Amino acid sequence: MNTTLLLATDLSHECEAALVRALHLSQRSQSRLDILHVVDPYLPEHTLPALVHAIEEEIDRTLNRLCEHHELKRPASTEIHIVSGVPYAEIIREAYERSASMIVMGTHRKQGQPDLIGGTTLSRVMRRAPCPVVSIPHDGEPDWQDILVPVDFSLASRHTLKEVLMRFPNVRLTLLHAWDMPVAMELCEGTNYQHWRDLERQRLRQQLELETERLMADLHAKPDLELVLQQGDPSQVLLDRLRQQPPDLLALGSHIRVGIGRSTDSLLERLLTETRGDLMLCRTW
């Protein structure tokens, strides 16, 4: 079955790193690569033909240059498509119409400014796209080798894990589960707390191992797997892990609670501003 990768570019330097990643993914999965650029809908209509032609030529030159520099073959089936409209809406519409299996976008970092992230094209596409969206902040290794997936035993994290195993069955995969106990400070003074915590950690590990084994058996995947269980605020546990042991790719579900009672929105904004690795967000429903 042929699949389509959709690269959304604004012709910036950050989008060149995304294009290189899209080329690697296209070559690895033998997918067609469609490249999309959205122009301002309020430009004078008589300027559009010349502008569209210039943009197509620029994308074509960039594509050839990057293929030559990185010793990659240009995908046999590549379409450069220029449309006019609101960028995030057009990207999502094109993803639906092309039945895209993945959207790849460059990341314009707004370091330390999470309040600016929520309204960006990338953030809006991530929350609404019908397929996984990958943000690429800079050039990286040709293939992702280490992938981190936070899990909370929900349908969202199960779906994300399935997406990762289907696409990258032979990677080094780390599953991170963090749980936050609101009265941990009070309970830690009790004599039975340590015993309870050890039993809870063992129960969680067994549950995680069982769920993972079932998925791997269904998908015939054999990743190099590590299970990490840690008590603490789930968002902070994840951010600390990313700083201390950054993976090649972080994969999240769009509705994942990285722990009990935690929403994705503010966490996504922090991830886009505080971490520098590649990020894949998978829509669950």
Side-chain angles (χ1 to χ4, degrees):
M1 178 179 177
N2 293 328
T3 57
T4 299
L5 297 180
L6 178 62
L7 171 76
T9 178
D10 60 6
L11 306 181
S12 65
H13 176 72
E14 288 85 354
C15 286
E16 288 196 7
L19 176 52
V20 173
R21 173 60 65 191
L23 286 167
H24 282 294
L25 289 170
S26 175
Q27 182 172 285
R28 186 179 184 278
S29 62
Q30 297 183 334
S31 302
R32 68 172 285 128
L33 176 61
D34 288 353
I35 302 175
L36 174 68
H37 178 81
V38 183
V39 299
D40 190 334
Y42 300 107
L43 291 172
E45 188 173 348
H46 71 273
T47 67
L48 289 180
L51 178 61
V52 167
H53 181 70
I55 292 173
E56 288 176 342
E57 286 191 332
E58 177 61 24
I59 292 174
D60 190 67
R61 282 194 299 267
T62 301
L63 184 57
N64 289 332
R65 173 171 55 82
L66 292 176
C67 284
E68 181 179 357
H69 179 74
H70 292 273
E71 298 181 346
L72 293 166
K73 291 183 179 180
R74 180 166 171 158
S77 181
T78 302
E79 180 181 340
I80 299 172
H81 193 47
I82 314 298
V83 299
S84 174
V86 178
Y88 82 89
E90 292 301 322
I91 293 169
I92 293 169
R93 182 179 62 80
E94 291 287 337
Y96 273 107
E97 291 185 356
R98 296 167 187 270
S99 300
S101 62
M102 181 181 287
I103 300 171
V104 182
M105 300 179 66
T107 306
H108 296 274
R109 295 295 184 184
K110 293 179 172 59
Q111 198 70 23
Q113 297 176 296
D115 54 317
L116 299 181
I117 288 293
T120 63
T121 296
L122 173 62
S123 178
R124 287 170 171 170
V125 171
M126 280 186 154
R127 289 186 173 95
R128 296 170 173 85
C131 58
V133 180
V134 181
S135 68
I136 309 295
H138 51 73
D139 289 331
E141 294 298 319
D143 292 305
W144 291 314
Q145 298 296 327
D146 296 286
I147 299 180
L148 175 65
V149 182
V151 292
D152 62 359
F153 306 107
S154 66
L155 286 175
S157 61
R158 181 180 175 84
H159 172 74
T160 302
L161 180 56
K162 182 177 180 180
E163 287 277 356
V164 170
L165 290 173
M166 287 177 60
R167 297 168 187 272
F168 316 107
N170 300 312
V171 298
R172 290 191 294 272
L173 181 63
T174 301
L175 304 185
L176 174 65
H177 178 78
W179 74 97
D180 190 8
M181 189 171 182
V183 293
M185 292 298 295
E186 291 80 358
L187 288 178
C188 69
E189 297 178 359
T191 56
N192 294 325
Y193 175 71
Q194 182 73 37
H195 178 64
W196 173 86
R197 188 182 66 180
D198 291 344
L199 288 177
E200 180 68 4
R201 182 173 293 167
Q202 181 179 359
R203 182 189 68 80
L204 288 169
R205 177 172 290 275
Q206 290 174 346
Q207 183 176 352
L208 187 56
E209 288 175 343
L210 180 61
E211 290 295 319
T212 306
E213 287 175 2
R214 288 173 178 170
L215 265 181
M216 289 191 294
D218 291 341
L219 301 172
H220 308 289
K222 297 180 180 179
D224 181 4
L225 184 64
E226 178 185 7
L227 305 178
V228 177
L229 303 176
Q230 187 171 340
Q231 185 177 346
D233 177 78
S235 297
Q236 195 58 50
V237 167
L238 174 59
L239 289 166
D240 289 343
R241 174 83 185 192
L242 293 172
R243 295 188 191 104
Q244 296 164 10
Q245 302 180 54
D248 297 330
L249 176 69
L250 168 66
L252 290 171
S254 61
H255 290 76
I256 193 172
R257 297 175 302 156
V258 188
I260 296 173
R262 295 296 191 267
S263 66
T264 304
D265 292 348
S266 61
L267 176 59
L268 176 60
E269 291 164 7
R270 292 189 67 184
L271 291 171
L272 291 174
T273 56
E274 297 182 25
T275 62
R276 289 191 55 80
D278 297 346
L279 170 64
M280 179 168 75
L281 195 69
C282 303
R283 178 174 174 177
T284 309
W285 47 74

